[in-house]
């Protein structure tokens, strides 16, 4: 699996958020979560143990779900 770190701008594009005011409101909510997401990617890439990789992948998926929920709530 090819996992890559993602920027905040990537998520704005993914959720089609272009309004600067809305971006400013979302930013404080997602900045730390996106940082954590990117750190999980780094840990996953460095990890050699398959069991630990599965645990990290679960955390990555949970983090993606959390980001998805936040962005969708702001788009309402």
């Amino acid at each position: 699996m090819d996992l890559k770190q993602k920027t905040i701008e990537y998520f704005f594009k993914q959720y089609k958020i272009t309004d600067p005011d809305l971006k400013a409101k979302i930013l404080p909510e997602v900045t730390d979560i996106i940082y954590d997401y990117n750190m999980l990617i780094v840990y996953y890439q460095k990890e050699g143990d398959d069991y630990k990789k599965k645990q990290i992948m679960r955390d990555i998926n949970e983090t993606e779900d959390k980001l998805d929920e936040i962005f969708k709530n702001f788009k309402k």
Side-chain angles (χ1 to χ4, degrees), residues 4-72:
K4 291 188 165 97
Q5 296 184 49
K6 298 175 182 169
T7 64
I8 291 173
E9 203 55 47
Y10 167 88
F11 288 100
F12 286 147
K13 285 179 185 169
Q14 181 178 337
Y15 290 96
K16 297 176 176 56
I17 296 173
T18 56
D19 178 8
D21 292 333
L22 185 55
K23 284 182 177 183
K25 288 179 185 172
I26 295 172
L27 211 50
E29 299 288 325
V30 298
T31 301
D32 289 343
I33 299 169
I34 292 173
Y35 174 81
D36 291 344
Y37 173 85
N38 287 328
M39 290 309 299
L40 286 168
I41 300 293
V42 170
Y43 297 147
Y44 181 88
Q45 292 169 339
K46 289 182 178 180
E47 185 56 61
D49 182 273
D50 284 341
Y51 178 73
K52 288 182 181 177
K53 280 185 123 166
K54 285 180 186 174
Q55 289 178 313
I56 295 168
M57 182 53 68
R58 187 188 69 236
D59 291 344
I60 289 170
N61 290 331
E62 287 174 3
T63 304
E64 286 175 340
D65 291 344
K66 187 188 299 184
L67 285 166
D68 185 59
E69 185 178 319
I70 291 169
F71 276 98
K72 285 181 177 175

